[in-house]
Amino acid sequence: MNIVAIRETVVPIKSEIRNAYIDFSQMTVSVVALVTDVVRDGRRVIGFGFNSNGRYAPSGLLRERFIPRLKNAASTALTDESGGNLDPFRVWNVLMTNEKPGGHGERSVAVGVIDMAVWDAVAKIAGVPLYRLLAERYHNGKADHTVFVYAAGGYYYPGKDESALKAEVQGYLDQGYSAVKIKIGAAPLATDLSRIEAVLKLLQRPDQLAVDANGRFDLATAIEYARALEPYGLRWYEEPGDPLDFALQAELSKIYKPPMATGENLFSMQDARNLIRYAGMRADRDILQFDCALSYGLVEYLRILEMLKEHGWSPRRCIPHGGHQMSLNIAAGLGLGGNESYPTVFKPFNGFADGIPVEDSFVRMPDLPGIGFEAKNELYAVMKSLVADYS
């Protein structure tokens, strides 16, 4: 088989929402289409990928460095032993040729976009949903056919008061979510506590609510929030400090006993390993949020899972950031603890397959070859436009 074309475009997902650190007024996403010469069920196999929100489209890196490497590689350097399908590990090695270790930055995002498209193509060529392919290859054939998802929202927004926040959260509950997350850290502590209490009035239990500071706090502020939050018994307290400040996280773990979560802004196995080694993370309660679409893709995520196993962590402690179908397939196929979901923001890259309801914060997997983008009409329309001449 051969790759006959690779296309990339930039799609805006800008909005007026903001968290404690950034606003999303200029946010963009790269979308990649990887066209093969393989035909299945009368249709050419095309793999699609994109990067998660929070990091801008790595268009320059893709067009100037990584896409040319794939185009210049011999097909035998990209395919498996049979020559009939892509080998994601060989593709990854080609992408990372002449790349020095460390300093992962936006490079990991660009590779993650292509990696997603590769795995989509691999599963389509195999004729199976990606989650089933992953279960067969890496999880003894055991797949979860429903996946836990929580509704991530509660962003700060101009003119958004507590009544609007409650209406937003009630909307998530009405859609079938029983676990939600809101932002903290962009308002005074007293205001954030009032927002938390307003949301808790809508929930049956406090552990249905998680909060996310998006790395905003120094140690003193992180501790101040920790002491105020602990009595509530929330689901988790997320990313209180800079994601690379492992000392802050370790100090906080001595003070805050309920679960904490972090990892969405760590983009390599090495960084993930340092988190486990030095940040005081607790394998019996804390949540790890590494996002394959931002961290060199599923090839690297598999290395992260192997590292976690060596350190005594269950994959059930992993609930990836990003709210996309790629992580949903990984969660189902590799036995993770769930996946983030964005019911109302970052369209059309948010959400999962059309017509499949969320029930008590669980969603069923669609029975489609690949990642399943074709079951999400608004997103698939964007992807198809990249390759209209091949459809």
Side-chain angles (χ1 to χ4, degrees):
M1 66 147 296
N2 293 284
I3 296 172
V4 299
I6 307 171
R7 308 271 178 84
E8 186 267 349
T9 191
V10 176
V11 179
I13 54 168
K14 61 185 179 180
S15 69
E16 294 185 77
I17 62 173
R18 65 184 301 267
N19 60 36
Y21 220 107
I22 64 169
D23 66 51
F24 291 82
S25 60
Q26 302 298 320
M27 192 58 60
T28 54
V29 168
S30 275
V31 179
V32 162
L34 190 151
V35 184
T36 77
D37 61 0
V38 178
V39 175
R40 290 287 183 270
D41 297 325
R43 301 177 65 183
R44 183 185 293 271
V45 171
I46 302 174
F48 297 102
F50 60 88
N51 62 279
S52 297
N53 67 82
R55 298 284 163 171
Y56 298 91
S59 185
L61 290 169
L62 285 165
R63 296 185 184 190
E64 295 169 15
R65 209 151 87 217
F66 294 108
I67 290 175
R69 282 182 192 157
L70 278 193
K71 288 182 174 179
N72 293 333
S75 61
T76 54
L78 306 176
T79 57
D80 60 19
E81 293 299 329
S82 73
N85 205 335
L86 293 167
D87 182 328
F89 293 86
R90 290 182 176 180
V91 172
W92 196 93
N93 288 337
V94 167
L95 292 172
M96 292 299 290
T97 300
N98 277 342
E99 295 287 332
K100 291 180 68 176
H104 305 288
E106 304 301 299
R107 175 179 72 182
S108 63
V109 181
V111 174
V113 173
I114 294 176
D115 177 272
M116 186 187 295
V118 168
W119 283 100
D120 188 34
V122 165
K124 286 173 177 174
I125 291 170
V128 296
L130 177 58
Y131 80 94
R132 290 186 185 170
L133 182 142
L134 296 178
E136 290 298 325
R137 290 189 181 183
Y138 307 110
H139 203 235
N140 298 316
K142 299 176 182 177
D144 296 331
H145 297 284
T146 62
V147 177
F148 165 76
V149 291
Y150 69 91
Y155 288 85
Y156 299 96
Y157 190 90
K160 183 177 182 179
D161 58 13
E162 285 184 9
S163 63
L165 175 63
K166 290 175 68 175
E168 176 191 352
V169 171
Q170 184 61 56
Y172 300 150
L173 300 176
D174 293 342
Q175 290 178 55
Y177 293 93
S178 60
V180 299
K181 184 174 78 178
I182 67 170
K183 301 300 184 180
I184 59 171
L189 175 58
T191 301
D192 276 338
L193 295 180
S194 181
R195 294 169 70 248
I196 289 168
E197 290 171 3
V199 172
L200 286 175
K201 291 176 182 178
L202 302 175
L203 307 176
Q204 296 179 359
R205 305 182 316 276
D207 67 354
Q208 292 177 257
L209 175 63
V211 294
D212 182 4
N214 288 104
R216 180 74 264 180
F217 302 148
D218 58 19
L219 179 58
T221 308
I223 291 173
E224 182 183 18
Y225 266 78
R227 288 175 172 156
L229 292 174
E230 184 159 352
Y232 291 112
L234 302 178
R235 194 177 196 96
W236 67 68
Y237 173 21
E238 181 175 330
E239 207 172 42
D242 187 285
L244 289 172
D245 192 343
F246 302 137
L248 182 152
Q249 187 70 33
E251 286 299 310
L252 201 59
S253 71
K254 300 173 185 177
I255 295 166
Y256 189 76
K257 300 308 178 187
M260 288 188 284
T262 193
E264 71 179 65
N265 291 303
L266 300 179
F267 297 153
S268 70
M269 187 279 290
Q270 291 86 354
D271 284 341
R273 184 172 59 195
N274 282 338
L275 178 76
I276 300 304
R277 284 175 171 173
Y278 305 121
M281 301 297 289
R282 303 156 302 185
D284 64 334
R285 74 197 82 165
D286 291 336
I287 299 298
L288 304 173
Q289 300 170 308
F290 314 117
D291 181 347
C292 72
L294 300 179
S295 51
Y296 294 109
L298 174 54
V299 168
E300 186 79 345
Y301 200 90
L302 288 166
R303 296 176 183 136
I304 290 173
L305 290 178
E306 185 61 31
M307 176 275 296
L308 292 175
K309 181 179 178 181
E310 292 170 359
H311 285 80
W313 282 74
S314 166
R316 294 294 186 190
R317 306 313 303 170
C318 296
I319 301 179
H321 163 270
H324 48 73
Q325 290 162 288
M326 178 68 173
S327 285
L328 190 72
N329 275 270
I330 294 173
L334 300 180
L336 307 189
N339 195 38
E340 189 168 29
S341 176
Y342 298 106
T344 59
V345 294
F346 308 127
K347 295 180 178 181
F349 301 93
N350 64 325
F352 311 121
D354 295 342
I356 296 183
V358 176
E359 300 175 306
D360 194 23
S361 268
F362 279 81
V363 64
R364 288 183 291 110
M365 300 300 297
D367 189 23
L368 287 174
I371 294 172
F373 297 129
E374 291 78 3
K376 186 166 172 52
N377 289 329
E378 188 178 0
L379 174 59
Y380 190 49
V382 172
M383 293 173 164
K384 283 197 302 182
S385 68
L386 257 180
V387 287
D389 51 328
Y390 284 100
S391 59

